[in-house]
Each structure stands twice: as structure tokens, then as C-alpha cells.
Amino acid sequence: MIGTGIGNLAAGIYLIRDGGFKGEQITMMGLETHGANDGDTVKAYENEYSNQALSNNKGFLAKGGRMLNEETYENLWDLLRSVPSLDNPGQTVTDDILNFDHAHPTHDVGRLIDHNGPRIHGDKNDYKHMQFNNKDRFLLSKLMLTPEKDEEKLNNISIAEYFASSPHFFTTNFWSMWQTTFAFKRASSAMELRRYMNRMILEFSRINTLEGVTRTPYNQYESIILPMRKYLEDRGVTFINNRKVVDLEFKDTPLRDDIIVTKIKYEEVDNDNKAGEIEVDENDFVFDTNGSVTDSSSIGDFNTPVKENMEYAPSAALWKKAAEKFYSLGNPDKFFDDRTQSEWMSFTVTTNNHFLLNEICRITQQEPGNALNTWIESTPLMSIVVHHQPHFKAQKPNESVFWGYFMYPRRNGDYVQKPIIEMTGEEMLEEFLGHLAAVDPAKDNVRNHKQEIMDSIVNVIPVHLPYASALFNQRAVGDRPDVVPKHSKNLAFISQFCEMPFDMVFTEQYSFRAAQRAVYTFLGIPLSEMTKMHHYEKDPKVMARATKTMFR
């Protein structure tokens, strides 16, 4: 296993649960233990960011947050029913999450916020209205109804290009909500938007409240990753967390068609990059994480802006070397060679009391745990997420933690006149407080208590993620390799950058399903026995609600 993210963790469990493997037959190699499902104290990231001198290693960090979905994450719920809870003996991780979510259901009130405050005024700007015109409806319906066999008609077409004849689409409440819920940009792939509209059509009619969002009791690292690692470690799986795989060697076959890995080359990063290699037996399988949305990220703190990491994504660099040898392994540059399509910045705020959290709740008119608030008039497009507290097990009773993100980090702030990417954590907080105060119905309650707020700050951690939305970059059919490529005898790809029919990327579901597909393919288990997926786009009741929503 190259990479220790959620996809390979899932593959390891599938090998053991469905394939009869013993844990000692599995070795997982990687550099970071957090991946995209992260969340921990800042100190826990010191090894990952050891090359950056930070003035403050206090507080908590979540580069982002993942929204689960009970109805469409079929593989995730099925597999996590096999993983014991770390917190509740006798329960599974699936039990933990769904029990928590059902006890704390999401109902977003302040989903969109403009200069008047949350859009809940009952007029035409009320965020329950999609605000489509007939041209918008026609184009969106046409996109959704494009058959899968005709996906290539959307090759390399951006959402902006697809809706070029109806620019009104980008002024609607729907677009404001959709782009910030799923992290699409106008430059993103229309092909991927088509998949989302089909796979998530059940959520279309409740996009304004995000009632379909399933939340974990704590951050995803503690609620999902750690139990999965414990399951594997208890069964003898070997984890090597200091190893960077830099190349693969392949067998030179007569027709140069068969893909057979014969050697894995690596460096030990905490041992002066000492080189090593692993001979791959003809009966071995190699599972590669061919791309990660958190690769090449860079971190700052309250007093320190990020120093942009210009490195080509390491996981994709390995994929690129393999793709240069075999024509069927896709085109990683489509996803990792244009940061303008994919970058955004997040910031995590830790406070030593709940004053700021209470002000946020008062102004957005919702309690912690109710999903996402977007300031739609902010120039760099700012959103925040306030999770149910505590979001970290190590969080003290007096501490609050929330995170936010800017989708356009090269743009200037509205209250701090410099590009977001150049801001310290303190300046990002200033930018956020400016927007919060601007819609404060208590007439400057936030401004009048600004010193009290600043005194409560433990840290504000900015993170630049150059590839956060890379999986939505414009692409063509064939740019992503199959999970098990044609003619591959022992190499599989498990990530958000492999190709599977129908399902949608930027979800744990996609990684889990790719893992199941890889394991079942290699072990000869019929793919017809894979976890069954729902097709709500074929459900008449769901489609009737969606049609009604189009005119709402």
C-alpha cells in the first residue's frame, strides 16, 4: 500500500474481511498519517511541516472538513460496520456516527449571508429559492440527463463554458450554495457537475438546509481514521510512516502492454532520505494513492503567513512517472498542473472561551453543528463551519474551535487589503470579524468587544491547499486511470483520481468503493457482489421533488 489515507485503509480492511488475508501480509507506507480526513493538535503536524518555522504551535488544526451522507455513502457505512468503535464498546464506527447524527440532525438556517444578514427574510432572496430562469433550468436538466455513454461530449468543458449562454446561472442562490457546499468553481469540470447532479439529486431539494449532511461525533481523523488504523494494527498490518515512494519499476514484457510492478523505490525522510527498494513478488499486489488533495499544502500561524509550497504533488509525481511508461494510466497534469482551478485556503480558530462562538451563533441564528455559512458578497468567497463542540477529544471545556475557507486566495480581502494567501492568521481573523460585524443585528456588538475576542484567541492557523479542488479540474474521458488499469497484473489505483462509473469524487465513498473494486478485481470476487449503490436519479418521487425545486 503506497499511502496511508482512507482509501488504502479501506482496501486493507476489504482484503482481511472479504479476501481472507492476514494482517501481516499487508504493509502500508506513507509520510503523513492525517491525509484529507485530518484533525489534531497543531503539535501533531510538526513532522509534516518541520521545514516551516512557526511562532505558535498551540491550538487545533483541521485543514478542512468532510460532509458525509447517509443515503449515498453505501460503501462507507457497510465497511465501517466491521470496524469497532473506540469510544463505545459493542458498537461499530457506523453506529457511532449515525447515532450521533440522528441525535444532532443538521438544519442550516444561515446558509447564505449577505449585507442584510442570513437570507431568511421571506422575499425573493430567501435562500430556499433557487432563482433559476428557464434557460438555467433547461441547461441544468440537459446536463443531468446526458447519458453516461456520452460523457465524452463534456470533455475539457468547464462549468463556465457550459453555461456561457446563460450567465444568469452564476447569480442564483443555487450556485452560491452548490459551489461552496461541494467546492466547485466556474472553472471546474462540467462533466463532474453532471455526476454530482445525478448522484446527489436527493440533496437537491434540501441544499438550502443541508439536512442530508451526516456529521461525525468528532473530526474525521478521530472518528474514522483512528478506528480503521486500530482495526488493521490489531490484525498485524505493518505501518511505515517515514517512507516516501519515489518510483516504480516494471517488468519489460514483449509487447510492453502488461503492467507488472517488479520493484518499489523509496526514501526514508527522517533518515537523511536514505534510499531503499522493495522487490515485488509476482504474487504481490501494489495499491497506489495516485493523488491527494492535501499534497504540497503549507501552513502558517497567528503571526506567520504561509510560504507557498510549489512542489508538484508527490503522490501525483509517482503516478506521472508510471503514466509516462504506459498509455492507459491517465494524465496527472490535468489535475496537478493548474493551481488556479484547484487552490483554496482554510483557517482554523481556537479560542480559550466561548464568547466568539456565541456571537457567531447569534448572528447566523443557528447552533454549532448546523453545517455551513457562506458570505456570498465576500470578494475571496468566505465560508465557515462551526462543528458541534467539542470537535477534538483533547479540547478543553472552555475552548471553542471552528474553521473556515476562502475559495479564491489570490483575491484581496474586503477588510484587510492584501491577498488572502499573504495574510497571517491574525489578518484572516480580522477579515472574518469584519464580515461578521457587518451583518451584526446588535449594532456593532462584535466591534465593541473586539479586544475581548482577540484576548481569547489561542491560535489561528492558515493553510494553503493548492490541490484542494483538483479532482474537479477540467478533464476528458481517459484522464483518470481505471482502478485496475487494462493489462495491469498487480497495480491498482485508489484515490479521488481513478476512474469508476457513476460515482462522484471528493467523497470518502469514492475512496471506499475504489478500494473494494481493486480488491475484488485482484482476488477474482465478482464485481456484481460489490456493495449495492442507490440510484435516486431513477426514483420518480425524488425526481418529482427535484423538478418542483427547479421552480422554487
Side-chain angles (χ1 to χ4, degrees):
M1 304 283 187
I2 302 172
T4 56
I6 201 168
N8 274 346
L9 297 180
I13 298 173
Y14 278 120
L15 284 169
I16 293 169
R17 190 193 76 171
D18 299 349
F21 269 55
K22 296 179 180 179
E24 53 264 30
Q25 293 177 272
I26 302 170
T27 300
M28 298 204 173
M29 301 175 288
L31 288 182
E32 59 177 70
T33 59
H34 293 86
N37 288 267
D38 71 337
D40 215 329
T41 62
V42 175
K43 290 181 181 179
Y45 289 84
E46 285 182 340
N47 289 336
E48 188 177 338
Y49 296 103
S50 59
N51 62 327
Q52 299 182 40
L54 304 179
S55 59
N56 184 349
N57 64 357
K58 299 177 181 178
F60 296 89
L61 170 60
K63 295 176 189 173
R66 311 305 295 272
M67 294 185 289
L68 310 183
N69 182 262
E70 185 171 350
E71 290 86 355
T72 59
Y73 281 39
E74 301 92 343
N75 282 80
L76 179 139
W77 305 124
D78 172 65
L79 195 67
L80 293 184
R81 285 190 180 93
S82 301
V83 179
S85 164
L86 296 184
D87 300 318
N88 299 295
Q91 291 190 7
T92 69
V93 174
T94 293
D95 295 330
D96 269 357
I97 298 172
L98 295 185
N99 288 345
F100 173 83
D101 183 69
H102 294 167
H104 305 87
T106 298
H107 187 86
D108 208 328
V109 176
R111 177 65 189 87
L112 299 181
I113 298 174
D114 61 19
H115 60 278
N116 292 313
R119 284 194 166 186
I120 52 175
H121 314 301
D123 59 18
K124 66 180 180 179
N125 285 327
D126 187 332
Y127 70 154
K128 72 182 179 184
H129 297 296
M130 297 296 102
Q131 298 182 324
F132 292 130
N133 63 26
N134 285 336
K135 188 67 175 290
D136 299 333
R137 296 183 184 105
F138 169 75
L139 289 172
L140 194 59
S141 299
K142 180 182 177 183
L143 180 67
M144 181 180 171
L145 295 172
T146 300
E148 187 172 322
K149 64 181 179 63
D150 293 336
E151 253 195 342
E152 62 183 16
K153 293 180 179 179
L154 299 170
N155 280 356
N156 301 315
I157 294 178
S158 69
I159 297 172
E161 291 174 287
Y162 182 84
F163 286 97
S165 63
S166 187
H168 174 268
F169 175 81
F170 298 106
T171 70
T172 61
N173 278 340
F174 167 79
W175 176 247
S176 293
M177 291 185 285
W178 195 268
Q179 68 169 327
T180 50
T181 299
F182 300 113
F184 279 96
K185 297 185 177 185
R186 296 188 188 196
S188 299
S189 167
M191 186 184 295
E192 209 58 53
L193 178 59
R194 172 201 163 273
R195 289 200 178 198
Y196 262 74
M197 287 303 301
N198 280 279
R199 189 75 165 102
M200 296 296 283
I201 193 62
L202 184 67
E203 304 310 318
F204 178 63
S205 59
R206 55 190 187 187
I207 187 69
N208 55 309
T209 61
L210 293 177
E211 291 175 49
V213 170
T214 302
R215 291 294 190 189
T216 53
Y218 298 99
N219 59 84
Q220 286 83 23
Y221 180 66
E222 292 181 303
S223 291
I224 298 178
I225 298 297
L226 287 182
M228 293 178 76
R229 286 180 68 98
K230 181 70 162 52
Y231 175 100
L232 294 167
E233 289 167 349
D234 286 349
R235 286 155 181 78
V237 172
T238 299
F239 283 86
I240 304 173
N241 295 318
N242 69 333
R243 187 168 288 177
K244 178 181 179 180
V245 177
V246 295
D247 206 358
L248 302 174
E249 285 193 5
F250 297 89
K251 185 175 182 179
D252 189 5
T253 58
L255 295 178
R256 302 183 185 277
D257 244 356
D258 288 343
I259 301 172
I260 304 171
V261 179
T262 59
K263 190 176 293 184
I264 297 172
K265 296 184 176 182
Y266 65 84
E267 296 173 351
E268 293 181 350
V269 296
D270 59 358
N271 190 19
D272 295 324
N273 291 331
K274 182 180 178 181
E277 57 186 38
I278 300 170
E279 297 287 341
V280 178
D281 185 85
E282 62 180 12
N283 295 316
D284 289 338
F285 300 125
V286 178
F287 297 81
D288 178 32
T289 306
N290 65 312
S292 169
V293 297
T294 56
D295 268 2
S296 305
S297 53
S298 48
I299 185 174
D301 65 17
F302 190 76
N303 303 305
T304 315
V306 303
K307 182 178 180 180
E308 185 176 358
N309 182 353
M310 300 305 299
E311 180 183 25
Y312 192 93
S315 56
L318 181 64
W319 169 25
K320 186 172 182 176
K321 288 181 180 179
E324 289 169 350
K325 299 170 184 175
F326 299 96
Y327 66 89
S328 61
L329 300 190
N331 184 1
D333 281 352
K334 280 289 191 72
F335 308 98
F336 295 96
D337 205 32
D338 182 3
R339 296 183 174 200
T340 63
Q341 290 188 56
S342 60
E343 67 177 350
W344 40 278
M345 288 198 73
S346 69
F347 61 101
T348 310
V349 180
T350 306
T351 65
N352 63 19
N353 63 42
H354 304 305
F355 181 83
L356 178 56
L357 181 71
N358 290 335
E359 290 301 296
I360 294 171
C361 292
R362 177 179 60 80
I363 292 170
T364 62
Q365 302 182 40
Q366 61 187 39
E367 294 298 310
N370 279 300
L372 183 64
N373 309 114
T374 296
W375 274 257
I376 60 174
E377 295 168 337
S378 64
T379 300
L381 196 55
M382 181 191 72
S383 300
I384 64 165
V385 177
V386 181
H387 292 279
H388 187 276
Q389 303 290 303
H391 191 47
F392 298 85
K393 291 182 180 180
Q395 216 174 308
K396 298 174 184 176
N398 61 298
E399 291 178 326
S400 295
V401 178
F402 68 93
W403 72 276
Y405 69 99
F406 299 92
M407 284 192 67
Y408 297 96
R410 307 285 170 178
R411 295 179 182 175
N412 274 12
D414 296 296
Y415 296 91
V416 178
Q417 292 302 310
K418 63 167 62 173
I420 297 296
I421 194 171
E422 296 178 11
M423 291 185 188
T424 64
E426 180 180 15
E427 290 169 329
M428 285 192 177
L429 181 65
E430 290 269 6
E431 179 70 12
F432 165 66
L433 292 178
H435 282 288
L436 190 66
V439 296
D440 182 2
K443 297 182 179 179
D444 289 345
N445 197 49
V446 172
R447 290 191 181 97
N448 292 338
H449 291 83
K450 184 175 179 181
Q451 191 57 51
E452 182 178 346
I453 292 171
M454 298 307 291
D455 290 343
S456 76
I457 300 299
V458 175
N459 209 348
V460 180
I461 309 294
V463 179
H464 178 245
L465 297 149
Y467 306 120
S469 300
L471 28 69
F472 291 158
N473 281 18
Q474 296 161 40
R475 64 177 176 86
V477 171
D479 284 336
R480 302 192 304 211
D482 290 337
V483 174
V484 178
K486 187 178 180 180
H487 301 301
S488 175
K489 306 302 182 184
N490 67 349
L491 175 64
F493 295 114
I494 299 175
S495 76
Q496 302 293 298
F497 299 92
C498 60
E499 176 60 36
M500 292 187 295
F502 180 63
D503 220 341
M504 58 185 186
V505 292
F506 220 159
T507 63
E508 288 84 350
Q509 162 64 20
Y510 202 85
S511 295
F512 274 64
R513 192 160 187 83
Q516 186 181 35
R517 191 177 189 90
V519 169
Y520 279 33
T521 300
F522 278 152
L523 301 187
I525 302 173
L527 297 183
S528 60
E529 296 182 15
M530 289 178 63
T531 304
K532 300 302 180 187
M533 296 169 65
H534 294 93
H535 281 268
Y536 291 106
E537 83 285 3
K538 297 179 181 179
D539 185 318
K541 292 183 179 179
V542 172
M543 294 309 295
R545 286 199 299 271
T547 301
K548 185 177 179 180
T549 301
M550 278 272 197
F551 291 87
R552 194 167 67 195

